Amino acid sequence: MGHIKARENYCLGCKLCEIHCLVAHSRSKKILKCFTNEKDEITSRILVEDTGHISFAVQCRHCTEAPCIESCISGAMHYEQKTGAVLCDTNRCVGCLMCVMVCPAGAVLRSRKGTVVSKCDLCLESGIPACVENCPNEALYYEED
Amino acid sequence: MKKIETKYLILGNSTAAISCVESIRSLDKEGSVSMVAAEKERAYSKPLISYLLCGSITPKQMYYRPRDFYENNRINALLGSEAMKIDAAHYMVTTATGEEITFERLLIATGGRPILPDIPGIRSEGVFTFFTWKDAENVRKFIQRRKVNHAVVVGGGLIGVKTLEALLKLGVKTDVVEKAPRILATILDDEAGRIVDKRLADDGVEIHCGTTVSKILAVDDLTYGVRLDNNREIECEMVVFAIGVRPDTRLAEEAGIKTGKGIIVSNRMETSFPGIYAAGDVTQSYDLTTGVARNIALFPSAYRQGKVAGINMAGGNMEYPGGIVMNSVSVCGLPIISVGDIQGEGMDTEIYSRLDEKSSIYKKVLVKNDRITGVLFVNQVDRVGIYTGMIKSGINVSEIRDMLLTEEFGVLTLPKEYRKYVISGVGIEI
Ligand SMILES: Cc1cc2nc3c(=O)[nH]c(=O)nc-3n(C[C@H](O)[C@H](O)[C@H](O)COP(=O)(O)OP(=O)(O)OC[C@H]3O[C@@H](n4cnc5c(N)ncnc54)[C@H](O)[C@@H]3O)c2cc1C
């Protein structure tokens, strides 16, 4: 498995990563459609922090001793067998927010409805993470371990 | 008597037991593992029973691990069989179903038992505890059969509140009786208590604080109400007791294993008897934020302790430094997260808080000796984990104390070295 990494001083704070994350996790995968029809259903799984001086994009770090997995009461949060990525099976998630309580990076977010959680899945299905692919300044990059 | 020999023997089949087995198998693929579990079901998640009761999940979703878990991990699982005796000197456990099992390493992960008060009428039909899948099933059936309209939950702790949530979802009018001055007394402060009370009142839930149930009112053994110790009576068809859980240390005590507020364990989760380990709700742990030895009966601690025990049982080396009390709970849909010691306000405590009464948002961070010791967030709980992480790692916040509750607070605000650790991921070496 690889990791998404960030270069702290390169981030412009443009938030394109957030937008492309939304699109990548929408049903339509189309930017316009997803913003008109699905806006209330999807949450970006990457979050741009901005202190005024610097900005920085945070998403799940795919910990090898993931506190969210240890705390998950439903068994929804799990290591994907092949890659070891930390994934949430939203069909099993009950929205108890134990993972939100323990993630040291604050990278597990509540879905819009608040019923299940939403987190980075490394875009495993499509290959390259959408946030990395669309970062205009290469502040985000993907590195195989 | 059926004789069984095993390298590892696990008593219990819940959070601590499962994480222990997984850790054993991560180091030892061959050694024989046997498990003795009082309940018949495959491992399921206890905290899900309230979700099951109100129908927000199906029975299928109760299982904590897939059906083939025991087979894949080559576990000889004796489900529906209670361990009756530990013979520590002979490394042997006997079960109610007639097995004599000798072991090299033993894990006691028998959890706790709900407390039922010894009051008149306690055996009446309509009185329940809410602790196992079977309890949830019994409560559900009873509500249907008796067409329960009104219930009383005794005890406003985590389990009581979760029971309340489920009953409200089912449309059952529910009162709560709580001995302390407010519900969730240990995990809320006055301000959060006020917000919660208002929400409960808006939803028509009556809370009776500072009192307890002294008698179950019943005719022909069928419950029709409760009497409180202030002599007030509440009519109801059903009473659920959630007044606390006691660590189930009987087997350990009879075996001569040291107990206090639970089975006493080393930081390798080994009991006073070499080769015998204990983990989860049955143990006494060290509370990292208060420095006090206590029973921490929470899911994440059970998981972690089980893991540490398993690694050490299989010949590895791992330590459990202690635990933190943390709760994520919703009251009438109002999300609340409380971590660490949010009560311990002394002269040496700095308090940072923000209240937005209109939107019921409340945030509070307690700092002692430059370390965060507790956080309490109501109705806006996003990213609380960042604080939890700092509590666990004992991060010095003297440089960032002014930022703690600002909008910008996040990973970027963290002290540099710690930030690196967080960004690289827990368990990943930098
Ligand atoms: C309704 C409810 C809601 C909860 N919600 C939360 C929550 O939101 N967050 C949280 O952190 N925690 C929660 N908890 C607590 C959490 O479930 C426990 O901390 C956790 O399950 C402890 O795991 P354990 O393995 O130590 O023990 P347990 O889960 O108690 O399991 C012990 C097992 O051992 C078996 N056993 C006992 N004696 C014997 C014997 N002699 N022989 C064989 N088997 C035996 C029992 O049948 C049981 O299956 C909740 C608990 C309940 C009941």
Side-chain angles (χ1 to χ4, degrees), chain A residues 3 8 47 49-50 54 56 61-65 70-73 91-92 94 96-98 100-106 110, chain B residues 45 51 57 61 63 299-300 303-304 307 326-328 337 381-383 385-386 388 408 410-412 419 422-423 426-428:
Chain A
H3 277 89
E8 263 180 43
L47 207 100
E49 290 187 9
D50 196 340
I54 33 170
F56 182 70
R61 308 318 302 149
H62 297 278
C63 303
T64 51
E65 296 209 20
E70 299 196 356
S71 307
C72 179
I73 62 169
N91 292 320
R92 300 187 65 190
V94 294
C96 72
L97 308 184
M98 296 281 283
V100 171
M101 174 167 70
V102 298
C103 174
R110 287 208 289 163
Chain B
S45 174
Y51 297 86
I57 62 167
Q61 285 171 283
Y63 296 106
F299 193 93
Y303 187 98
R304 191 72 200 168
K307 179 170 182 167
M326 46 177 154
N327 286 281
S328 169
I337 290 183
V381 297
D382 299 321
R383 309 196 81 199
I386 300 179
T388 308
E408 295 84 41
V411 171
L412 262 186
R419 180 163 85 222
V422 168
I423 290 173
V426 180
I428 302 168

Short mmCIF file of all heavy atoms in Angstrom, two decimals, chain A residues 3 8 47 49-50 54 56 61-65 70-73 91-92 94 96-98 100-106 110, chain B residues 45 51 57 61 63 299-300 303-304 307 326-328 337 381-383 385-386 388 408 410-412 419 422-423 426-428:
data_model
loop_
_atom_site.label_atom_id
_atom_site.label_comp_id
_atom_site.label_asym_id
_atom_site.label_seq_id
_atom_site.Cartn_x
_atom_site.Cartn_y
_atom_site.Cartn_z
N HIS A 3 1.09 5.66 0.51
CA HIS A 3 0.52 6.71 1.34
C HIS A 3 0.43 8.01 0.56
O HIS A 3 1.27 8.28 -0.29
CB HIS A 3 1.40 6.94 2.57
CG HIS A 3 1.11 5.96 3.66
ND1 HIS A 3 1.76 4.76 3.76
CD2 HIS A 3 0.23 6.01 4.68
CE1 HIS A 3 1.30 4.11 4.81
NE2 HIS A 3 0.37 4.84 5.39
N GLU A 8 4.38 20.50 3.04
CA GLU A 8 3.73 21.57 3.80
C GLU A 8 3.79 22.93 3.11
O GLU A 8 2.84 23.67 3.10
CB GLU A 8 4.35 21.69 5.19
CG GLU A 8 3.54 20.95 6.24
CD GLU A 8 4.13 21.04 7.63
OE1 GLU A 8 4.58 22.14 8.02
OE2 GLU A 8 4.14 20.00 8.32
N LEU A 47 -9.41 17.32 4.02
CA LEU A 47 -9.79 18.56 4.65
C LEU A 47 -8.61 19.52 4.59
O LEU A 47 -7.53 19.16 5.03
CB LEU A 47 -10.09 18.23 6.11
CG LEU A 47 -11.05 19.11 6.83
CD1 LEU A 47 -12.40 18.39 6.84
CD2 LEU A 47 -10.60 19.30 8.25
N GLU A 49 -6.66 22.46 5.96
CA GLU A 49 -6.52 23.34 7.12
C GLU A 49 -5.77 24.59 6.67
O GLU A 49 -4.86 24.52 5.86
CB GLU A 49 -5.71 22.65 8.22
CG GLU A 49 -6.45 21.52 8.88
CD GLU A 49 -5.66 20.98 10.07
OE1 GLU A 49 -4.64 21.60 10.45
OE2 GLU A 49 -6.07 19.95 10.62
N ASP A 50 -6.17 25.71 7.27
CA ASP A 50 -5.57 26.97 6.85
C ASP A 50 -5.40 27.85 8.08
O ASP A 50 -6.37 28.15 8.76
CB ASP A 50 -6.51 27.63 5.83
CG ASP A 50 -5.82 28.73 5.07
OD1 ASP A 50 -4.79 29.24 5.56
OD2 ASP A 50 -6.33 29.09 3.99
N ILE A 54 -0.06 29.30 6.59
CA ILE A 54 0.15 28.08 5.82
C ILE A 54 -1.14 27.28 5.74
O ILE A 54 -2.02 27.39 6.59
CB ILE A 54 1.23 27.15 6.44
CG1 ILE A 54 1.24 27.25 7.95
CG2 ILE A 54 2.58 27.38 5.82
CD1 ILE A 54 2.12 26.19 8.60
N PHE A 56 -2.69 23.21 4.57
CA PHE A 56 -2.24 21.83 4.59
C PHE A 56 -3.45 20.92 4.46
O PHE A 56 -4.48 21.15 5.08
CB PHE A 56 -1.54 21.59 5.95
CG PHE A 56 -0.97 20.24 6.12
CD1 PHE A 56 0.15 19.85 5.39
CD2 PHE A 56 -1.53 19.34 7.01
CE1 PHE A 56 0.69 18.60 5.55
CE2 PHE A 56 -0.98 18.08 7.18
CZ PHE A 56 0.13 17.72 6.45
N ARG A 61 -4.44 8.69 7.60
CA ARG A 61 -3.05 8.29 7.47
C ARG A 61 -2.88 6.79 7.31
O ARG A 61 -1.78 6.29 7.26
CB ARG A 61 -2.23 8.78 8.70
CG ARG A 61 -2.36 10.25 9.04
CD ARG A 61 -2.35 11.16 7.83
NE ARG A 61 -1.15 11.04 7.02
CZ ARG A 61 -1.09 11.22 5.71
NH1 ARG A 61 -2.18 11.52 5.04
NH2 ARG A 61 0.04 11.09 5.06
N HIS A 62 -3.98 6.06 7.32
CA HIS A 62 -3.94 4.60 7.18
C HIS A 62 -2.93 3.99 8.15
O HIS A 62 -2.00 3.28 7.76
CB HIS A 62 -3.69 4.21 5.73
CG HIS A 62 -4.81 4.66 4.84
ND1 HIS A 62 -5.98 3.96 4.70
CD2 HIS A 62 -4.97 5.81 4.12
CE1 HIS A 62 -6.81 4.62 3.91
NE2 HIS A 62 -6.23 5.76 3.55
N CYS A 63 -3.13 4.29 9.42
CA CYS A 63 -2.26 3.81 10.50
C CYS A 63 -2.15 2.29 10.47
O CYS A 63 -3.11 1.60 10.12
CB CYS A 63 -2.84 4.20 11.87
SG CYS A 63 -3.12 5.95 12.09
N THR A 64 -1.01 1.78 10.89
CA THR A 64 -0.89 0.32 10.99
C THR A 64 -1.42 -0.17 12.34
O THR A 64 -1.73 -1.34 12.49
CB THR A 64 0.56 -0.13 10.83
OG1 THR A 64 1.36 0.64 11.72
CG2 THR A 64 1.04 0.06 9.41
N GLU A 65 -1.50 0.71 13.32
CA GLU A 65 -2.18 0.35 14.57
C GLU A 65 -3.31 1.34 14.77
O GLU A 65 -3.28 2.18 15.66
CB GLU A 65 -1.22 0.39 15.75
CG GLU A 65 -0.12 -0.62 15.61
CD GLU A 65 0.41 -1.11 16.94
OE1 GLU A 65 -0.30 -0.96 17.96
OE2 GLU A 65 1.52 -1.62 16.95
N GLU A 70 -9.50 -0.13 16.41
CA GLU A 70 -9.56 -0.68 17.76
C GLU A 70 -10.83 -0.24 18.49
O GLU A 70 -11.32 -0.92 19.38
CB GLU A 70 -8.33 -0.25 18.57
CG GLU A 70 -7.04 -0.75 17.93
CD GLU A 70 -5.84 -0.69 18.87
OE1 GLU A 70 -5.98 -0.20 19.99
OE2 GLU A 70 -4.76 -1.15 18.44
N SER A 71 -11.37 0.92 18.13
CA SER A 71 -12.53 1.46 18.84
C SER A 71 -13.85 1.18 18.15
O SER A 71 -14.90 1.48 18.71
CB SER A 71 -12.38 2.98 18.95
OG SER A 71 -11.15 3.30 19.52
N CYS A 72 -13.79 0.65 16.96
CA CYS A 72 -15.03 0.50 16.17
C CYS A 72 -15.90 -0.59 16.75
O CYS A 72 -15.52 -1.76 16.80
CB CYS A 72 -14.69 0.17 14.72
SG CYS A 72 -16.17 -0.06 13.72
N ILE A 73 -17.10 -0.22 17.20
CA ILE A 73 -17.97 -1.20 17.86
C ILE A 73 -18.73 -2.07 16.86
O ILE A 73 -19.30 -3.08 17.23
CB ILE A 73 -19.00 -0.52 18.81
CG1 ILE A 73 -19.93 0.42 18.03
CG2 ILE A 73 -18.32 0.20 19.95
CD1 ILE A 73 -21.12 0.90 18.85
N ASN A 91 -21.99 0.05 5.11
CA ASN A 91 -23.19 -0.76 5.37
C ASN A 91 -23.23 -1.25 6.80
O ASN A 91 -24.29 -1.58 7.32
CB ASN A 91 -23.24 -1.96 4.43
CG ASN A 91 -23.47 -1.53 3.00
OD1 ASN A 91 -24.25 -0.62 2.75
ND2 ASN A 91 -22.74 -2.14 2.09
N ARG A 92 -22.08 -1.34 7.43
CA ARG A 92 -22.03 -1.84 8.80
C ARG A 92 -21.92 -0.71 9.82
O ARG A 92 -22.24 -0.89 10.98
CB ARG A 92 -20.85 -2.80 8.97
CG ARG A 92 -20.94 -3.99 8.03
CD ARG A 92 -19.88 -5.00 8.34
NE ARG A 92 -20.07 -5.59 9.66
CZ ARG A 92 -19.18 -6.36 10.26
NH1 ARG A 92 -18.05 -6.62 9.68
NH2 ARG A 92 -19.44 -6.88 11.44
N VAL A 94 -22.59 2.22 12.23
CA VAL A 94 -23.83 2.67 12.87
C VAL A 94 -23.76 4.15 13.26
O VAL A 94 -24.69 4.70 13.84
CB VAL A 94 -24.19 1.82 14.12
CG1 VAL A 94 -24.53 0.40 13.71
CG2 VAL A 94 -23.06 1.84 15.15
N CYS A 96 -21.67 5.66 15.50
CA CYS A 96 -21.50 5.87 16.94
C CYS A 96 -20.43 6.93 17.22
O CYS A 96 -20.33 7.44 18.34
CB CYS A 96 -21.15 4.57 17.64
SG CYS A 96 -19.47 3.99 17.30
N LEU A 97 -19.60 7.21 16.22
CA LEU A 97 -18.57 8.26 16.30
C LEU A 97 -17.40 7.93 17.23
O LEU A 97 -16.64 8.83 17.61
CB LEU A 97 -19.19 9.62 16.67
CG LEU A 97 -20.36 10.07 15.80
CD1 LEU A 97 -20.82 11.46 16.21
CD2 LEU A 97 -20.01 10.06 14.32
N MET A 98 -17.25 6.68 17.59
CA MET A 98 -16.08 6.29 18.38
C MET A 98 -14.80 6.61 17.59
O MET A 98 -13.81 7.04 18.16
CB MET A 98 -16.11 4.79 18.69
CG MET A 98 -17.27 4.34 19.55
SD MET A 98 -17.05 4.68 21.30
CE MET A 98 -15.93 3.38 21.77
N VAL A 100 -14.36 8.97 15.36
CA VAL A 100 -14.16 10.41 15.38
C VAL A 100 -13.50 10.82 16.71
O VAL A 100 -12.63 11.69 16.75
CB VAL A 100 -15.51 11.15 15.21
CG1 VAL A 100 -15.36 12.65 15.43
CG2 VAL A 100 -16.09 10.87 13.83
N MET A 101 -13.87 10.11 17.76
CA MET A 101 -13.35 10.40 19.09
C MET A 101 -11.87 10.07 19.22
O MET A 101 -11.17 10.69 20.02
CB MET A 101 -14.16 9.61 20.13
CG MET A 101 -13.66 9.70 21.55
SD MET A 101 -14.85 9.06 22.73
CE MET A 101 -14.79 7.31 22.38
N VAL A 102 -11.38 9.11 18.45
CA VAL A 102 -10.00 8.65 18.68
C VAL A 102 -9.00 8.95 17.57
O VAL A 102 -7.81 8.76 17.77
CB VAL A 102 -9.95 7.12 18.97
CG1 VAL A 102 -10.73 6.80 20.23
CG2 VAL A 102 -10.45 6.31 17.79
N CYS A 103 -9.45 9.39 16.41
CA CYS A 103 -8.49 9.61 15.32
C CYS A 103 -7.60 10.81 15.63
O CYS A 103 -8.07 11.95 15.69
CB CYS A 103 -9.20 9.84 13.99
SG CYS A 103 -8.03 10.27 12.69
N PRO A 104 -6.29 10.59 15.82
CA PRO A 104 -5.41 11.68 16.24
C PRO A 104 -5.21 12.74 15.17
O PRO A 104 -4.77 13.85 15.48
CB PRO A 104 -4.09 10.97 16.56
CG PRO A 104 -4.13 9.70 15.82
CD PRO A 104 -5.57 9.32 15.68
N ALA A 105 -5.55 12.41 13.93
CA ALA A 105 -5.41 13.39 12.86
C ALA A 105 -6.75 14.07 12.58
O ALA A 105 -6.83 14.96 11.72
CB ALA A 105 -4.88 12.72 11.60
N GLY A 106 -7.79 13.65 13.27
CA GLY A 106 -9.11 14.22 13.01
C GLY A 106 -9.53 13.95 11.57
O GLY A 106 -10.16 14.78 10.93
N ARG A 110 -17.72 13.03 9.80
CA ARG A 110 -19.11 12.58 9.76
C ARG A 110 -19.66 12.80 8.37
O ARG A 110 -19.36 13.80 7.72
CB ARG A 110 -19.94 13.38 10.76
CG ARG A 110 -19.64 12.98 12.18
CD ARG A 110 -20.83 13.22 13.04
NE ARG A 110 -21.08 14.63 13.26
CZ ARG A 110 -22.24 15.10 13.70
NH1 ARG A 110 -23.24 14.29 13.93
NH2 ARG A 110 -22.40 16.39 13.92
N SER B 45 -21.04 -7.77 18.91
CA SER B 45 -20.63 -6.54 19.58
C SER B 45 -21.70 -6.12 20.59
O SER B 45 -22.82 -5.80 20.22
CB SER B 45 -20.42 -5.45 18.53
OG SER B 45 -20.17 -4.24 19.17
N TYR B 51 -28.88 -0.68 19.20
CA TYR B 51 -29.20 -0.45 17.79
C TYR B 51 -30.10 -1.58 17.27
O TYR B 51 -30.98 -1.37 16.46
CB TYR B 51 -27.94 -0.38 16.94
CG TYR B 51 -27.02 0.78 17.30
CD1 TYR B 51 -26.07 0.66 18.31
CD2 TYR B 51 -27.10 1.99 16.62
CE1 TYR B 51 -25.23 1.70 18.64
CE2 TYR B 51 -26.25 3.04 16.94
CZ TYR B 51 -25.33 2.90 17.95
OH TYR B 51 -24.50 3.93 18.27
N ILE B 57 -30.33 -1.74 13.11
CA ILE B 57 -29.53 -2.75 12.42
C ILE B 57 -30.25 -4.10 12.48
O ILE B 57 -31.14 -4.29 13.30
CB ILE B 57 -28.11 -2.92 13.03
CG1 ILE B 57 -28.19 -3.38 14.49
CG2 ILE B 57 -27.30 -1.63 12.93
CD1 ILE B 57 -26.85 -3.85 15.03
N GLN B 61 -26.04 -7.91 11.34
CA GLN B 61 -25.02 -6.87 11.55
C GLN B 61 -24.43 -6.90 12.95
O GLN B 61 -23.53 -6.14 13.27
CB GLN B 61 -25.63 -5.49 11.27
CG GLN B 61 -25.81 -5.20 9.80
CD GLN B 61 -26.62 -3.93 9.59
OE1 GLN B 61 -27.83 -3.92 9.73
NE2 GLN B 61 -25.95 -2.84 9.26
N TYR B 63 -22.79 -9.32 14.32
CA TYR B 63 -21.56 -10.10 14.45
C TYR B 63 -20.33 -9.23 14.27
O TYR B 63 -20.23 -8.45 13.35
CB TYR B 63 -21.57 -11.27 13.47
CG TYR B 63 -22.68 -12.23 13.80
CD1 TYR B 63 -23.82 -12.29 13.02
CD2 TYR B 63 -22.60 -13.04 14.93
CE1 TYR B 63 -24.86 -13.15 13.34
CE2 TYR B 63 -23.62 -13.90 15.26
CZ TYR B 63 -24.75 -13.96 14.46
OH TYR B 63 -25.77 -14.80 14.80
N PHE B 299 -15.07 -0.36 25.50
CA PHE B 299 -14.71 -1.15 24.34
C PHE B 299 -13.26 -0.95 23.87
O PHE B 299 -12.53 -1.93 23.71
CB PHE B 299 -15.70 -0.78 23.22
CG PHE B 299 -15.68 -1.70 22.05
CD1 PHE B 299 -16.55 -2.76 21.97
CD2 PHE B 299 -14.79 -1.50 21.02
CE1 PHE B 299 -16.54 -3.62 20.89
CE2 PHE B 299 -14.76 -2.34 19.93
CZ PHE B 299 -15.64 -3.40 19.85
N PRO B 300 -12.80 0.29 23.66
CA PRO B 300 -11.44 0.46 23.16
C PRO B 300 -10.37 -0.10 24.12
O PRO B 300 -9.37 -0.65 23.67
CB PRO B 300 -11.27 1.98 23.01
CG PRO B 300 -12.65 2.52 22.95
CD PRO B 300 -13.48 1.59 23.79
N TYR B 303 -10.31 -3.85 23.81
CA TYR B 303 -9.63 -4.26 22.58
C TYR B 303 -8.12 -4.18 22.76
O TYR B 303 -7.37 -5.10 22.47
CB TYR B 303 -10.06 -3.37 21.41
CG TYR B 303 -9.51 -3.86 20.10
CD1 TYR B 303 -10.29 -4.64 19.25
CD2 TYR B 303 -8.19 -3.58 19.72
CE1 TYR B 303 -9.78 -5.12 18.07
CE2 TYR B 303 -7.68 -4.07 18.53
CZ TYR B 303 -8.47 -4.84 17.70
OH TYR B 303 -7.97 -5.32 16.53
N ARG B 304 -7.67 -3.03 23.26
CA ARG B 304 -6.23 -2.80 23.42
C ARG B 304 -5.62 -3.80 24.40
O ARG B 304 -4.55 -4.36 24.17
CB ARG B 304 -6.01 -1.37 23.92
CG ARG B 304 -4.60 -0.91 23.88
CD ARG B 304 -4.18 -0.67 22.45
NE ARG B 304 -2.73 -0.67 22.31
CZ ARG B 304 -2.09 -0.70 21.14
NH1 ARG B 304 -2.77 -0.75 20.03
NH2 ARG B 304 -0.80 -0.70 21.08
N LYS B 307 -5.30 -7.17 22.96
CA LYS B 307 -4.20 -7.22 22.01
C LYS B 307 -2.86 -7.38 22.73
O LYS B 307 -2.05 -8.23 22.38
CB LYS B 307 -4.21 -5.92 21.20
CG LYS B 307 -3.12 -5.79 20.20
CD LYS B 307 -3.38 -4.59 19.31
CE LYS B 307 -2.31 -4.46 18.25
NZ LYS B 307 -2.70 -3.52 17.20
N MET B 326 -13.34 7.29 27.90
CA MET B 326 -13.87 8.09 26.80
C MET B 326 -15.21 7.55 26.34
O MET B 326 -15.40 6.35 26.24
CB MET B 326 -12.88 8.15 25.65
CG MET B 326 -12.25 6.86 25.27
SD MET B 326 -11.20 7.20 23.84
CE MET B 326 -10.00 5.92 23.99
N ASN B 327 -16.10 8.46 26.08
CA ASN B 327 -17.43 8.08 25.69
C ASN B 327 -17.95 8.93 24.55
O ASN B 327 -17.79 10.14 24.56
CB ASN B 327 -18.40 8.24 26.88
CG ASN B 327 -18.19 7.16 27.91
OD1 ASN B 327 -18.66 6.04 27.74
ND2 ASN B 327 -17.46 7.47 28.98
N SER B 328 -18.56 8.26 23.60
CA SER B 328 -19.27 8.94 22.53
C SER B 328 -20.72 8.47 22.63
O SER B 328 -20.99 7.29 22.52
CB SER B 328 -18.68 8.55 21.18
OG SER B 328 -19.53 9.00 20.15
N ILE B 337 -19.28 13.92 22.99
CA ILE B 337 -18.05 13.16 23.19
C ILE B 337 -17.33 13.72 24.40
O ILE B 337 -17.14 14.94 24.53
CB ILE B 337 -17.15 13.18 21.93
CG1 ILE B 337 -17.81 12.34 20.83
CG2 ILE B 337 -15.76 12.62 22.26
CD1 ILE B 337 -16.99 12.21 19.55
N VAL B 381 -18.93 17.64 17.27
CA VAL B 381 -17.88 16.77 17.81
C VAL B 381 -16.81 16.46 16.78
O VAL B 381 -15.93 15.64 17.03
CB VAL B 381 -18.51 15.45 18.33
CG1 VAL B 381 -19.46 15.73 19.48
CG2 VAL B 381 -19.22 14.70 17.22
N ASP B 382 -16.89 17.15 15.65
CA ASP B 382 -15.93 16.84 14.60
C ASP B 382 -14.49 17.02 15.07
O ASP B 382 -14.17 17.99 15.76
CB ASP B 382 -16.18 17.74 13.38
CG ASP B 382 -17.58 17.51 12.83
OD1 ASP B 382 -18.00 16.35 12.81
OD2 ASP B 382 -18.25 18.50 12.47
N ARG B 383 -13.66 16.09 14.73
CA ARG B 383 -12.21 16.13 14.95
C ARG B 383 -11.78 16.14 16.42
O ARG B 383 -10.65 16.51 16.74
CB ARG B 383 -11.60 17.33 14.20
CG ARG B 383 -12.02 17.38 12.72
CD ARG B 383 -11.16 18.29 11.90
NE ARG B 383 -9.91 17.67 11.50
CZ ARG B 383 -8.85 18.34 11.08
NH1 ARG B 383 -8.87 19.65 11.06
NH2 ARG B 383 -7.76 17.71 10.72
N GLY B 385 -10.90 13.76 18.04
CA GLY B 385 -9.79 12.83 18.17
C GLY B 385 -8.43 13.50 18.26
O GLY B 385 -7.49 12.94 18.85
N ILE B 386 -8.30 14.67 17.70
CA ILE B 386 -7.02 15.38 17.77
C ILE B 386 -6.66 15.64 19.24
O ILE B 386 -5.51 15.48 19.65
CB ILE B 386 -7.07 16.70 16.97
CG1 ILE B 386 -7.39 16.41 15.50
CG2 ILE B 386 -5.74 17.45 17.08
CD1 ILE B 386 -7.50 17.65 14.63
N THR B 388 -7.95 13.90 21.83
CA THR B 388 -7.77 12.58 22.46
C THR B 388 -6.34 12.10 22.25
O THR B 388 -5.70 11.59 23.18
CB THR B 388 -8.75 11.55 21.85
OG1 THR B 388 -10.06 12.10 21.89
CG2 THR B 388 -8.71 10.24 22.61
N GLU B 408 -9.27 27.60 13.70
CA GLU B 408 -8.15 27.07 12.92
C GLU B 408 -7.53 25.84 13.54
O GLU B 408 -6.71 25.18 12.93
CB GLU B 408 -7.04 28.11 12.76
CG GLU B 408 -7.40 29.34 11.98
CD GLU B 408 -8.09 30.37 12.86
OE1 GLU B 408 -7.64 30.54 14.00
OE2 GLU B 408 -9.08 30.96 12.41
N GLY B 410 -6.17 22.52 14.47
CA GLY B 410 -6.15 21.27 13.72
C GLY B 410 -4.76 20.68 13.76
O GLY B 410 -3.95 21.03 14.63
N VAL B 411 -4.48 19.81 12.82
CA VAL B 411 -3.18 19.14 12.78
C VAL B 411 -2.05 20.16 12.64
O VAL B 411 -0.99 20.02 13.24
CB VAL B 411 -3.15 18.11 11.62
CG1 VAL B 411 -1.75 17.55 11.42
CG2 VAL B 411 -4.14 16.99 11.90
N LEU B 412 -2.32 21.21 11.85
CA LEU B 412 -1.30 22.25 11.63
C LEU B 412 -0.89 22.95 12.92
O LEU B 412 0.22 23.48 13.03
CB LEU B 412 -1.84 23.30 10.67
CG LEU B 412 -1.45 23.20 9.21
CD1 LEU B 412 -1.95 24.42 8.47
CD2 LEU B 412 0.06 23.06 9.03
N ARG B 419 3.28 16.61 15.53
CA ARG B 419 2.59 16.68 14.24
C ARG B 419 3.16 15.65 13.27
O ARG B 419 2.44 14.97 12.57
CB ARG B 419 2.72 18.09 13.68
CG ARG B 419 2.03 18.24 12.33
CD ARG B 419 1.81 19.69 12.00
NE ARG B 419 2.96 20.29 11.38
CZ ARG B 419 3.42 21.51 11.67
NH1 ARG B 419 2.81 22.25 12.57
NH2 ARG B 419 4.46 21.99 11.05
N VAL B 422 1.80 12.28 14.08
CA VAL B 422 0.40 12.12 13.68
C VAL B 422 0.29 11.94 12.18
O VAL B 422 -0.43 11.08 11.68
CB VAL B 422 -0.44 13.35 14.13
CG1 VAL B 422 -1.81 13.34 13.47
CG2 VAL B 422 -0.58 13.37 15.64
N ILE B 423 1.04 12.75 11.44
CA ILE B 423 0.93 12.71 9.99
C ILE B 423 1.47 11.39 9.43
O ILE B 423 0.98 10.87 8.44
CB ILE B 423 1.65 13.92 9.35
CG1 ILE B 423 0.86 15.18 9.68
CG2 ILE B 423 1.78 13.76 7.85
CD1 ILE B 423 1.55 16.45 9.27
N VAL B 426 -0.30 6.30 13.16
CA VAL B 426 0.01 5.56 14.38
C VAL B 426 0.54 4.18 14.02
O VAL B 426 -0.08 3.43 13.27
CB VAL B 426 -1.23 5.42 15.28
CG1 VAL B 426 -0.89 4.65 16.54
CG2 VAL B 426 -1.80 6.79 15.62
N GLY B 427 1.69 3.85 14.57
CA GLY B 427 2.26 2.53 14.32
C GLY B 427 3.25 2.52 13.18
O GLY B 427 4.00 1.57 13.00
N ILE B 428 3.26 3.61 12.39
CA ILE B 428 4.19 3.67 11.26
C ILE B 428 5.46 4.39 11.70
O ILE B 428 5.40 5.52 12.18
CB ILE B 428 3.55 4.40 10.06
CG1 ILE B 428 2.27 3.69 9.65
CG2 ILE B 428 4.53 4.49 8.89
CD1 ILE B 428 1.41 4.46 8.69
#
